[in-house]
Amino acid sequence: MPEPPEAVPASSVCRILSLDGGGAKGFYTLGVLKEIEALVGHPLHERFDLIFGTSTGGIIAALLALGYNVDDIHELYKQHVPAVMRRWTASGKSEALVELAKEIFGEYTFADFKTRIGLVATRWDFEKPMIFKPDVGQAHGRLNSFVPGFGVSVADAVVASCSAYPFFKKHVITISDGSEVEVIDGGYCANNPTLYSIADAVKAMKKQHSDLRVVSVGVGLYPPPKRMNPKYVRVWIIKHILGWEALQLLQKTLDVNTASMEQLREILFREVAAVRINDAYSQPEMATDLLESDLKKLGMLYQRGRESFAKHEAALRNLLA
């Protein structure tokens, strides 16, 4: 844990919120954010200067930056996430995700965001990150040709960030120059996008390390589900068809990516004031994965997130004062 942040002029402070990917486990993230929103007493877009999100964290980041409160996002998750995750095929999941994004984000463009944001996806053809941003002030180069969100809608950017191939299809977007680009889940390059958000703040926005206040929220760590649970035969069949080992490999890939990005942050930016919330659970009843569709289990994750906040409350009060 870094030393308490030094007092700096209020106008120079840059508060960053970074939200991990993790599919349905984003319910944990929402539990944490519910308490942070209560702590600051305002919608989070009014208290964070930069919100980064990957995959499910990208959905939440986009909604927060558009002005949604956490309760509204939680209701949307309860209504829609189980239905998407219960789809039998990658095509079915992707179709449901696209329709849901259109319904929720409608005609929103990157000009509608109320604070700076970064939505992390992975460009399939170039094997590199593709980060959708609204503001040239976040650009690291090619300033004269910068186009907010590469010219795509918020809905398209969110779907791009969430396309967890092979359990979702690759998503094709048409960018501002008319090119078609295949994109997949941002978790393949930065499931924990905190380093990317710090890079924007320091390199593009010209903030000093001492100016930064970083809140990084994960989705929690859980035991993997058993291969066969009689209560959820249909879910097991779906995962068996898609490939149980492939799902475990994807989950492990995201977990390793998350941990390595956090380790690098601690090494490279130890002096940056930050709180990381991503508790681990070993109880058998907490077994879950990113395709979880049981609303009761997802409700447990939400409550665990609220409990995790309590463990870090003092540090968060100090950080966000």
Side-chain angles (χ1 to χ4, degrees):
M1 182 68 65
E3 294 296 322
E6 298 178 3
V8 295
S11 60
S12 69
V13 170
C14 180
R15 294 181 175 87
I16 298 172
L17 180 62
S18 173
L19 306 176
D20 287 12
K25 293 182 292 182
F27 275 82
Y28 172 93
T29 308
L30 290 171
V32 176
L33 295 178
K34 167 67 175 175
E35 298 295 338
I36 293 177
E37 185 180 65
L39 171 65
V40 300
H42 290 270
L44 294 181
H45 77 270
E46 295 181 1
R47 286 296 179 266
F48 286 94
D49 306 287
L50 183 60
I51 304 178
F52 258 66
T54 297
S55 197
T56 193
I59 298 174
I60 298 169
L63 290 169
L64 290 175
L66 287 168
Y68 282 70
N69 64 45
V70 177
D71 281 342
D72 289 340
I73 301 172
H74 187 211
E75 287 303 316
L76 288 171
Y77 263 58
K78 288 191 292 184
Q79 181 180 353
H80 296 292
V81 168
V84 173
M85 295 307 182
R86 289 190 190 112
R87 292 295 186 102
W88 283 76
T89 64
S91 293
K93 283 182 171 61
S94 291
E95 289 170 5
L97 178 62
V98 168
E99 289 305 312
L100 178 57
K102 289 179 180 177
E103 176 184 340
I104 293 174
F105 293 103
E107 300 301 316
Y108 281 128
T109 72
F110 277 73
D112 294 308
F113 286 125
K114 300 176 185 296
T115 191
R116 284 172 165 166
I117 188 171
L119 303 177
V120 182
T122 303
R123 185 160 175 167
W124 177 260
D125 53 354
F126 288 177
E127 300 89 30
K128 62 185 294 186
M130 187 171 191
I131 306 177
F132 299 86
K133 305 175 183 181
D135 190 334
V136 68
Q138 295 174 252
H140 296 267
R142 294 189 289 182
L143 305 183
N144 294 330
S145 61
F146 177 86
V147 177
F150 298 101
V152 308
S153 66
V154 173
D156 253 340
V158 166
V159 173
S161 183
C162 294
S163 293
Y165 182 78
F167 294 89
F168 288 75
K169 292 176 61 180
K170 289 173 280 187
H171 188 58
V172 179
I173 58 175
T174 302
I175 61 176
S176 58
D177 66 2
S179 302
E180 289 191 346
V181 178
E182 277 190 318
V183 283
I184 60 172
D185 196 286
Y188 282 101
C189 58
N191 199 55
N192 169 359
T194 308
L195 281 180
Y196 288 4
S197 65
I198 292 174
D200 267 22
V202 173
K203 296 298 184 181
M205 296 164 61
K206 307 302 182 186
K207 295 292 183 177
Q208 300 299 312
H209 290 186
S210 58
D211 295 338
L212 304 187
R213 307 288 184 267
V214 180
V215 178
S216 174
V217 184
V219 296
L221 298 167
Y222 311 93
K226 295 180 179 179
R227 288 183 65 94
M228 182 59 172
N229 185 335
K231 289 177 63 179
Y232 306 113
V233 174
R234 180 172 177 271
V235 175
W236 179 85
I237 292 172
I238 294 171
K239 293 176 180 177
H240 182 72
I241 291 172
L242 292 172
W244 189 274
E245 287 76 15
L247 177 58
Q248 298 310 305
L249 176 60
L250 174 58
Q251 185 64 69
K252 185 64 70 174
T253 299
L254 298 181
D255 288 346
V256 170
N257 180 293
T258 297
S260 63
M261 295 293 275
E262 178 60 12
Q263 187 176 46
L264 281 172
R265 182 195 65 80
E266 291 177 345
I267 293 171
L268 297 174
F269 298 103
R270 186 176 296 275
E271 73 283 5
V272 170
V275 175
R276 170 73 175 166
I277 304 176
N278 191 43
D279 289 341
Y281 303 90
S282 58
Q283 304 93 324
E285 65 270 19
M286 293 303 298
T288 191
D289 57 36
L290 58 92
L291 297 182
E292 183 63 66
S293 61
D294 177 19
L295 195 53
K296 182 178 180 181
K297 174 66 66 65
L298 296 173
M300 290 174 61
L301 302 190
Y302 178 76
Q303 293 303 326
R304 289 293 187 268
R306 299 186 72 174
E307 293 166 8
S308 289
F309 164 87
K311 297 179 183 179
H312 301 275
E313 183 172 1
L316 285 167
R317 284 185 182 277
N318 179 53
L319 190 79
L320 299 175

